[in-house]
Structure formats: structure tokens, C-alpha cells
Amino acid sequence: MVTTTKWLGASVKRKEDPKFLTGHARYTDDLEPAGTLHLAMARSPYAHARIRRIDTRAARDLPGVAAVFTGEDLRQVWGPLARTIDILTKVPTLYAVAVDKVRYVGEPVAVVAAVDRYVAEDAVDLIEVEYEELPPVVTIEDALAPTALLYEDWDNNIQLDWSNSIGNVERAFAEATHVFEETITHSRYTGTPMETRSCLADYNPATGMLHVTCSTQAPHQVRTLLAQTLQMPEQNIRVIAPDVGGGYGTKLQADVEVIPCAVSRLLGRPVKWTEDRTENLLTGVQSRDYTCTMRVALDADYRILGLDVSLTGNIGVDGTCHAAGTPSLLVAGAYFPGPYKVPAYRVQTIGVVTNKAPYGAYRGYGKDVANYPMERMMQIMAQRLGIAPDELRRRNFIHKEEFPYQQISGPLYDSGDYDRLMDMALEMIDAPALRQRQAELRAEGKYLGIGIAAMLEPSGAAVFNGIFNGYQPATVRMTPEGGIQVLTSHQNIGQGVETTLAQVAADVLGVSVDDVRLVFGDTDATPYGLGPWSSRGATFVVSAVHEAAGVLRDKLRKIAGHLLEVDPEDVELVGGRAQVKGSPDRAIALKDIGNRVHLWPGPYGTLPEGVDANLEGTYTWTSSVVRWVPDEHGTFNLYTTHPTGVFIAVVSVDVDTGFVQVDRFVVAHDAGTIINPMIAEGQVVGGVAQGIGGALLEELRYDANGQLLNTDFSSYLCPTAMEIPDIEVAHIENPSPFTPLGTKGMGEGGTIPSPAAVANAVEDALAPFGVRVGDLPLTPERVYGWIQEARARDGGS
């Protein structure tokens, strides 16, 4: 008897885990072809300076050094860095190794290729560089003053300036019963993947081929960016991404990766560079770092009448070429209304360049920027109005029956049920009992807080004018022996796609998930497509694989119908066989079909008319709801799906030290149809951990001279198991009407609202003192300082 298994919705163990658990994974730095040279970089000690002279003679003479190149030397084999994205921004002219001027501490000014990394680092110390220091531009205030211009051909330090107004905002505030205004800030921090950036380049002068192995999320886009920057034919570049030890959006660009490629091209030898942790923190992609002034108008029933937002982001040296962070501020501008009904909306978004490291994506990309100020405002307004934070949100939520919902700022929300999510989250913490316990603890001089944050995660972006433009091909292929290969450009960076995509294909083709293998990470083997970013896997990639598998399924049904002499509509694929519906004894194994088509007797004796001798299906999925043509208000819709959630943090605050401990964290989450509940829960839990880190610990601290003060894990603190409680996750499923399976991406949802939930909980805990949470992270020093200030206001009580 043939048994059937429904793979969609099953918590299948991850297929990719054994190689990681047993130490058999292979990363870029594990590879070292014969004759490999190792690269090290001389980096600027100044945030802003002109390069007056570089003397590399001593470095060149060191035994074991193959070559030393300055930025000027390398201009013979490359042009300016190719832009990754260009939306309403100025695009600077930048090189991977500085020419004439440096604009952040750690910017490369020369590179050494040597027989090993030790010799290369020794040679770097011998390079003499003469600088003329310039005034550093570090803060938003510095940039707007301006203290100095980062780019002399610009009139100012503003890279992005965009505003929009929809509805009668002035009337909304004039007629409001309550008006609230707050300025909310967020610190600068970054993703810290276990594997830092690494690149191995091998140029063959005889063939003109450049073989690049690197730790990247997007092999195909990296190939294109390399071709444009190196000004060489793209078909002569092959990019392979082996196992990648985490990405989080920080490995989407090709800036530093260009350097070993150029050096290999000049020397005709393999060249490898692997970033150390200090280099990663000093020069890698950074994010957040903004100030947001938000005004909210409420009517007498506490319903929003108008929202007025001014956002200014500190985007460092660049957010278009080194990395693609600048337009994240535009994403924030589109999503400040979040899950709430907003009748009138005005927004201004400014991005200023400064002498900090490049600005890019880190698990959120503007969605986090939109969420944090809005969810902090909901807490602040509820506290001042004396209304429960959940009740204020309920009065303004978009309700289930209103989906799909056209938000005033442009996005079309697909589905959701915030009221049910709020009920679930409050039930998970037993809110009435917890509030009673809070009162009891306060009577004992102990302070417990409860913080709520509602979440909207735009997922599956399709962005114009860049490498993130929103389509996805997939090929599903059957081998002659009946095995299934899924070919896609979607890189595995830890999100479990080797399992979930196999589940999708297995469900369509009626085979075991063990019979399906994902092929990815090689630009010569997979169709040109886009990597994992914007939580697009369950939107674009799953949809492409599902449809491509359907093309192959229909082809197999036609062949089986021909061989079994029945109408193809009467054939179903079950348990690795094609069988006649209702007559399982009339069947043919998929292996037999593969053998007959490809081997014996072969296609001429096997295939019906009109079916080609190729057992594969290819499909390119695009979204039917993406809208790039602006409407009468100048808005767009760039995201296809919108997972939702309600997150609640429960914290304890020691008022004598300022120490914050997260005691509980619960998540009620809705990402549409869930493919693998176990993997979905892991995605949420990992994201929450990163969000807690951003709320309590992580901050890239720059001094007034643009020097980063914490360049290793002894001073840049990441959360460990000691800081993260057990995170409780419950799912509901409101399928998206805009994807074939109703799936939605969910990779960033855990990170987006977690900082607001923690900050709101701390503020709730310290409500008896009248403390208003300010800058993140919520370090003991900061929290204790706020408590002391509050006590001083109250006369020392």
C-alpha cells in the first residue's frame, strides 16, 4: 500500500543541520587553493582626512610580500563602486580603496598581498601614510550644521530628502481632543554573524575567467556588481557562495569583495581575504541611528485623527554603493502608520551622511524604524491618558474584516487579525494575574513591567532602481532515477530553506522530502535571481518553487497518462508514483518514468506529442499587487505580504542598580500559511533575541572624532543565553490572498517590535517614578540615571 504524507505544515527536522552539527560544513575561509595569497588592508585612523602621501616601499620589500597596491594603483582595473540602489538619493563616487580622501575610520587606503596573513599584516604596519585631518562629521547635528562636507561636489550632507502629505493633517490636529508629541531616538548597532565577510578570488589570465567564492546572501547580484565595478564581462565571472554563517542583511553588497578580485586579476593568482571581528564592527554594515519626532492627534474616544512624522537618519558615509541602507528610511516613511487606521498623514524623511561606517540592512530595513517610534508613542499616550495600552491599540487597529486594507501611505495589507493576536498574547501571560502581581511587588519595593508592541512586517519587497527589484525564478528537475532537484538563487543563510523548499516541492510532486535536494549558491548552475532579503523566501521563492513544481507535475501527468492510456487529468502523483485516481494498482513509479524518458527506450518511444524530453519545470514568480506607478498621492506598494503579531515583554528592574532583566517574552504571530512550524518558531525566537540585544546591550559608540570605541566583543556586547528568557510563540494562520499557498515571509518579524516591547516594559515598571525611557540601549547606567533624575524631581523620594 502506498502511503501519502502532507509535508506542508509539518515540523520536519532541518535537512541541512547534520553537516553543521558534525563539523562538515565548508565556509569560504576553509578553502585555500595552491598558491593562494592572503590580503590585509592598511586602514585610515582618521574619520575625515585628505591623503597627502602613501609610501609603500618598506612593505613591498618585506620577504613574502607579493604586491602592495594603493587606491590609485587599483584604478587601472576598476571603476567606482557600482550602486546597489538609487531611489530619491544622491549617489556619491566611491572606490573600494580610498583615493585622495578618507571618510570613516577603517576605510582601506592600501592593500597587501602576501604568502600568509601574518606577513601581510606585518607589511601593513610598514606602510606610511601622511594625512591632512579634516573636521569630523559624526552626529546628525554635525551634518546639518554642516561641520564639513563629506562630498565637496554636494551642496550639503543630505543624501536623501523626501516628504509627503495625504489628507488634511492641519485640520486633524486642529480638531483633535488630544495631541501628543515626542522625539524618539534609536542607537546605532549591527548584525554580528558568526562568520564575518570572506572572499576568495581566482582569476585565470588564459581564459579571462574570474572565479569568486564569498560569504554572501546574493551570489547573482554580487556577480553583477563585480562586473560593473571591475568593468569586465559578467559572463566571465562565476560566484559561488558555500555555507554562509549568517547574514541578516549585512552580506548583500559587493564593496570590500571587489578588492581581492582586483588584486587576483592583477597578479593572476588566487587571493583570499577574511575579515576579523574588529574589521567587521569597524567597517561592516551598520544600521538604526536616527531621531524621530512624532505628533499624534486623537479624538475624544482616543482614535487617531492624524499622524505627523519627521525622521532624520544618520546614514554614515554612504547607503547606496557600499551598502543599500539609505532607502530604508523611505520604507519607514511608508510604514509609520503600522497596524493602525490613520485618516491623515504627513511625513518628512531625511538621511544625512557622516563620518561613520556605511549604512545598510540589518533584519528590519526601515520596518523597525517605523515600528519603534509608533509603538513607543502608543505606550506614552496610553500612560498619559490613563487607558490600558492594549485598549488604546484596539481602538485603532485595522480589524480582520477590513483586510485587504489600503493603508493611507500606500501599502496594501493582505490579511490579519490583530484583535485575536492581542487576546492570545494577553492570555499567554495571564494579564490580570500579572497586573495583580505587579501591584504586590511594588508594595515590596520591587518593580515589574509589562510592555506591548504590535508588529507589522512588510515582507517580500519588489524595489525599483536597484538589485532588489522583486521577481524570482525557480527550476524543479527530476533526474532519470526519480530524484528531485530544486534550483534557485535563494541562498541558505540559516533560515532553513533546504528543508522548507523541499517540503513545498515534495507536496506538489507527491514524493518524500528526503527525495528533494536544493541546489543554490552557484551563479553558473542556478537561474539568475535574487537572494534572501526582505523576508522574501516564503513570498517569492516558495511561490516560484510551488509553481515550477506544478509545471513538472503536469508534464509527468501527461507522460504517465500516455503510458497508462488514461486522460492526464485522471492521474495523480502519490508516494513517488503516478497512479490513476481511484485505481492505485494502475501506476508507474517516477523512477520508471525517468528511466523511460532518458534511457530505455528513450523519449521517442515514451513521450506523447507536444511534451518535450526534459523532465523539469521553470517558473518566474512576480507579484500581482506590487505597484511602481505612483498614485495621485505619490505613493507606491512595494511589499506583497504583511505578517502581523503582538509581542509582550515582562521585565524586572532593580532600581538600586538600573539592571533590567527580561523575565518572560511572549509572541502571538501570524505569517499566513506556515510551511514548517518548528522552523517558523525558530525564526521568531532568533529575531526576538536580536531585538532584545538591541534594546539592552548593543550600541556602536562613536566619540566626537568619529572613533568607534567598541571594536570587539569585550565592549560590543551581544546577548547570550543568560540574557534571553524562554520565548513563547503561538501562531495563527490568516493566509495571504496574494501568494499561491497563502504564505508570507517572516524572517524579520521577531526583531522589529522587540526593542519597543522591552522599552515599554521598562517604562511600565518605572511608572511610579515617572521615568520616560530615552536612548537605547537600556544599560544599567542609563536606567539608574533616569531613576535618580526622577527621584531628584520628587524631592529625593
Side-chain angles (χ1 to χ4, degrees):
M1 178 180 176
V2 176
T3 58
T4 62
T5 301
K6 181 173 175 56
W7 298 105
L8 201 66
S11 289
V12 178
K13 287 185 178 180
R14 295 188 357 152
K15 292 163 62 74
E16 51 266 63
D17 284 350
K19 66 179 176 182
F20 296 109
L21 296 173
T22 59
H24 287 90
R26 287 178 66 79
Y27 301 93
T28 300
D29 195 48
D30 292 328
L31 308 175
E32 188 159 327
T36 295
L37 296 172
H38 293 258
L39 209 65
M41 302 183 193
R43 298 181 179 276
S44 170
Y46 300 107
H48 199 193
R50 298 194 192 282
I51 302 170
R52 290 306 185 192
R53 181 181 63 88
I54 302 178
D55 188 342
T56 62
R57 288 173 295 179
R60 294 177 194 272
D61 292 342
L62 186 70
V65 170
V68 182
F69 298 104
T70 66
E72 192 62 45
D73 296 332
L74 291 168
R75 289 177 70 172
Q76 64 183 294
V77 290
W78 68 24
L81 286 172
R83 65 190 68 180
T84 62
I85 198 164
D86 180 6
I87 304 177
L88 304 177
T89 64
K90 299 174 187 173
V91 179
T93 299
L94 296 166
Y95 292 88
V97 178
V99 176
D100 299 329
K101 183 177 178 180
V102 292
R103 295 181 175 88
Y104 61 99
V105 173
E107 184 170 8
V109 296
V111 296
V112 176
V115 293
D116 60 41
R117 181 68 178 261
Y118 300 100
V119 173
E121 294 286 0
D122 287 344
V124 162
D125 292 338
L126 298 176
I127 296 174
E128 296 180 6
V129 185
E130 180 183 329
Y131 296 95
E132 176 192 341
E133 288 188 68
L134 297 171
V137 179
V138 182
T139 66
I140 290 172
E141 292 74 21
D142 290 343
L144 293 175
T147 305
L149 291 177
L150 263 72
Y151 303 102
E152 284 81 358
D153 55 335
W154 294 9
D155 295 330
N156 51 44
N157 289 316
I158 297 175
Q159 189 172 25
L160 168 71
D161 188 354
W162 171 81
S163 60
N164 199 10
S165 183
I166 308 169
N168 196 327
V169 177
E170 297 300 334
R171 187 173 68 185
F173 280 88
E175 296 179 354
T177 305
H178 307 278
V179 174
F180 297 90
E181 179 175 337
E182 290 287 333
T183 295
I184 294 166
T185 62
H186 201 298
S187 58
R188 190 180 192 91
Y189 69 116
T190 182
T192 52
M194 292 178 68
E195 180 199 22
T196 56
R197 293 176 294 179
S198 184
C199 182
L200 170 65
D202 190 358
Y203 180 76
N204 187 328
T207 63
M209 285 293 300
L210 175 64
H211 188 289
V212 182
T213 305
C214 64
S215 180
T216 178
Q217 297 175 228
H220 284 279
Q221 290 112 305
V222 163
R223 186 185 71 185
T224 299
L225 293 171
L226 290 175
Q228 291 178 352
T229 301
L230 295 170
Q231 299 172 350
M232 64 179 293
E234 185 171 0
Q235 69 272 18
N236 288 1
I237 302 174
R238 180 183 186 185
V239 175
I240 291 179
D243 293 314
V244 175
Y248 315 121
T250 66
K251 294 179 180 176
L252 285 171
Q253 56 283 330
D255 58 341
V256 71
E257 289 82 1
V258 176
I259 300 173
C261 295
V263 174
S264 178
R265 194 175 176 193
L266 285 167
L267 301 180
R269 292 177 61 178
V271 175
K272 183 167 72 172
W273 172 77
T274 298
E275 181 180 56
D276 63 33
R277 186 58 63 182
T278 294
E279 289 177 304
N280 177 259
L281 289 170
L282 192 65
T283 68
V285 165
Q286 301 176 2
S287 68
R288 284 38 171 199
D289 199 356
Y290 60 83
T291 180
C292 179
T293 299
M294 182 172 281
R295 297 172 63 230
V296 185
L298 302 180
D299 67 13
D301 294 321
Y302 307 153
R303 290 183 171 83
I304 296 173
L305 293 175
L307 178 63
D308 188 1
V309 186
S310 177
L311 170 70
T312 305
N314 184 333
I315 56 179
V317 67
D318 166 57
T320 57
C321 299
H322 282 291
T326 303
S328 68
L329 303 177
L330 296 173
V331 173
Y335 280 98
F336 277 117
Y340 307 110
K341 289 180 277 191
V342 175
Y345 179 52
R346 181 167 59 205
V347 61
Q348 181 179 30
T349 299
I350 296 173
V352 297
V353 291
T354 65
N355 296 124
K356 291 183 177 180
Y359 198 75
Y362 168 42
R363 210 166 189 176
Y365 200 76
K367 312 152 195 180
D368 51 298
V369 178
N371 181 272
Y372 185 75
M374 192 66 189
E375 291 304 310
R376 288 289 293 120
M377 283 299 293
M378 298 303 285
Q379 168 75 18
I380 292 166
M381 293 189 299
Q383 192 176 72
R384 290 182 179 171
L385 292 168
I387 185 175
D390 60 296
E391 177 58 27
L392 180 60
R393 288 176 170 85
R394 289 181 196 274
R395 295 192 187 192
N396 291 283
F397 274 153
I398 301 161
H399 300 294
K400 181 178 181 179
E401 65 275 7
E402 297 175 290
F403 288 95
Y405 183 84
Q406 181 62 63
Q407 184 56 275
I408 189 172
S409 52
L412 179 65
Y413 299 169
D414 48 341
S415 64
D417 189 348
Y418 279 102
D419 295 290
R420 185 181 172 197
L421 290 168
M422 183 66 78
D423 288 340
M424 288 174 60
L426 293 172
E427 289 170 8
M428 290 167 74
I429 64 166
D430 192 357
L434 192 58
R435 284 295 182 193
Q436 182 177 345
R437 178 62 178 158
Q438 181 186 48
E440 294 169 355
L441 288 171
R442 283 180 179 173
E444 301 172 13
K446 299 176 182 178
Y447 296 89
L448 176 146
I450 305 164
I452 299 173
M455 183 275 289
L456 177 82
E457 181 195 357
S459 67
V463 185
F464 54 89
N465 279 18
I467 63 172
F468 311 104
N469 50 39
Y471 65 94
Q472 185 63 43
T475 295
V476 179
R477 176 182 299 157
M478 193 178 88
T479 70
E481 286 290 285
I484 304 299
Q485 294 177 318
V486 175
L487 290 80
T488 172
S489 61
H490 198 71
Q491 184 70 25
N492 187 356
I493 57 172
Q495 72 279 49
V497 292
E498 292 185 56
T499 304
T500 53
L501 294 181
Q503 288 179 255
V504 171
D507 232 29
V508 174
L509 296 171
V511 299
S512 168
V513 71
D514 295 327
D515 295 329
V516 183
R517 183 173 73 88
L518 185 66
V519 180
F520 61 95
D522 186 344
T523 57
D524 276 8
T526 60
Y528 192 100
L530 313 181
W533 44 268
S534 183
S535 303
R536 63 190 300 275
T539 302
F540 280 85
V541 186
V542 163
S543 299
V545 170
H546 178 268
E547 297 300 300
V551 173
L552 175 58
R553 176 199 58 207
D554 294 344
K555 184 178 290 189
L556 291 170
R557 289 172 64 195
K558 289 177 181 178
I559 298 170
H562 175 68
L563 295 174
L564 296 172
E565 299 181 336
V566 297
D567 190 314
E569 295 296 319
D570 293 329
V571 175
E572 60 184 352
L573 304 186
V574 179
R577 309 190 315 162
Q579 66 184 34
V580 178
K581 295 176 183 177
S583 301
D585 56 320
R586 297 186 62 194
I588 181 171
L590 296 185
K591 176 179 179 178
D592 290 339
I593 293 177
N595 271 228
R596 291 193 189 195
V597 170
H598 289 294
L599 301 172
W600 26 72
Y604 298 105
T606 305
L607 297 175
E609 185 177 350
V611 176
D612 61 59
N614 189 349
L615 296 181
E616 64 180 44
T618 296
Y619 193 92
T620 299
W621 197 82
T622 56
S623 171
S624 62
V625 297
V626 166
R627 180 172 52 82
W628 283 1
V629 177
D631 63 11
E632 67 273 21
H633 303 296
T635 70
F636 306 89
N637 181 45
L638 305 183
Y639 291 84
T640 298
T641 63
H642 294 80
T644 56
V646 171
F647 291 51
I648 299 181
V650 181
V651 307
S652 297
V653 182
D654 186 334
V655 297
D656 295 321
T657 65
F659 180 75
V660 176
Q661 176 175 304
V662 182
D663 299 321
R664 291 187 68 188
F665 206 105
V666 302
V667 177
H669 192 262
D670 179 3
T673 303
I674 300 294
I675 297 170
N676 186 313
M678 179 179 66
I679 289 177
E681 181 170 338
Q683 285 286 293
V684 173
V685 169
V688 169
Q690 288 180 305
I692 291 174
L696 297 182
L697 299 167
E698 297 183 59
E699 180 182 20
L700 292 161
R701 292 182 285 109
Y702 284 83
D703 69 12
N705 294 314
Q707 295 287 340
L708 182 64
L709 301 178
N710 46 344
T711 58
D712 58 40
F713 282 158
S714 68
S715 52
Y716 183 90
L717 303 180
C718 295
T720 70
M722 298 299 293
E723 289 78 37
I724 306 300
D726 288 338
I727 297 164
E728 306 159 56
V729 182
H731 291 283
I732 62 174
E733 295 186 30
N734 282 289
S736 173
F738 304 147
T739 60
L741 292 174
T743 51
K744 307 181 184 185
M746 54 166 296
E748 299 162 289
T751 309
I752 290 168
S754 302
V758 173
N760 288 343
V762 170
E763 195 162 276
D764 181 62
L766 299 178
F769 298 90
V771 165
R772 173 75 63 239
V773 165
D775 294 340
L776 296 181
L778 304 176
T779 61
E781 295 82 1
R782 279 186 176 142
V783 175
Y784 182 72
W786 296 332
I787 295 168
Q788 292 301 100
E789 290 172 6
R791 282 172 165 164
R793 287 195 304 268
D794 295 338
S797 60

